[in-house]
Amino acid sequence: MKRSGKAYFNEFPLSMQAAGKAASLAAALGLSTIRGKFLTVSTCSGTSARGDELFSRFGGICENMEGAAVAQVALRYGVDCLEIRGVSNMVENRDMSSWNIPGAVEAVQRFLLKYIEEF
């Protein structure tokens, strides 16, 4: 895809201004944050070995399935994009007993409501 004469493939830019605001707000709310690349995958990795392989190849901080599509559409239409994730588990050998989906959902919801309010 091309935008403003620049070709994009496999990596799509997100709004640095929105990311900076998000990081500041998260810190004010006492939420831990990490900024970096998200890897779009077609299936959950499910093993530590696969997670390690993806990290060594691409350096992503988390994986997801939807983010690249959203970023690509935003880029196509010239809309700033920021992806926020509440992470419930690390990529490791699948052990659902260690996942904290309610905690991840609560944290990202609390953050997003405050982000929208502050916008």
Side-chain angles (χ1 to χ4, degrees):
M1 165 189 304
K2 284 192 166 193
R3 179 87 180 158
S4 301
K6 182 172 180 183
Y8 292 93
F9 178 75
N10 284 344
E11 289 189 28
F12 301 100
L14 301 180
S15 171
M16 295 307 289
Q17 180 181 1
K21 178 183 173 190
S24 295
L25 181 58
L29 293 172
L31 298 171
S32 62
T33 60
I34 300 173
R35 292 167 64 174
K37 292 180 187 177
F38 290 11
L39 304 181
T40 297
V41 295
S42 60
T43 183
C44 296
S45 297
T47 66
S48 296
R50 180 66 174 148
D52 291 344
E53 175 191 354
L54 289 170
F55 182 77
S56 68
R57 289 179 64 196
F58 304 107
I61 61 168
C62 71
E63 62 181 39
N64 70 78
M65 296 182 190
E66 307 84 5
V70 172
Q72 188 173 9
V73 170
L75 180 65
R76 178 175 300 263
Y77 290 99
V79 175
D80 281 348
C81 183
L82 176 67
E83 185 171 1
I84 305 293
R85 289 281 179 178
V87 177
S88 62
N89 60 288
M90 301 301 291
V91 176
E92 57 193 3
N93 294 330
R94 191 172 301 270
D95 174 11
M96 293 178 69
S97 69
S98 67
W99 294 10
N100 185 0
I101 295 172
V105 170
E106 187 276 328
V108 79
Q109 178 187 31
R110 184 166 46 108
F111 171 81
L112 286 173
L113 289 172
K114 192 67 172 172
Y115 187 87
I116 291 166
E117 181 182 295
E118 297 285 324
F119 208 118

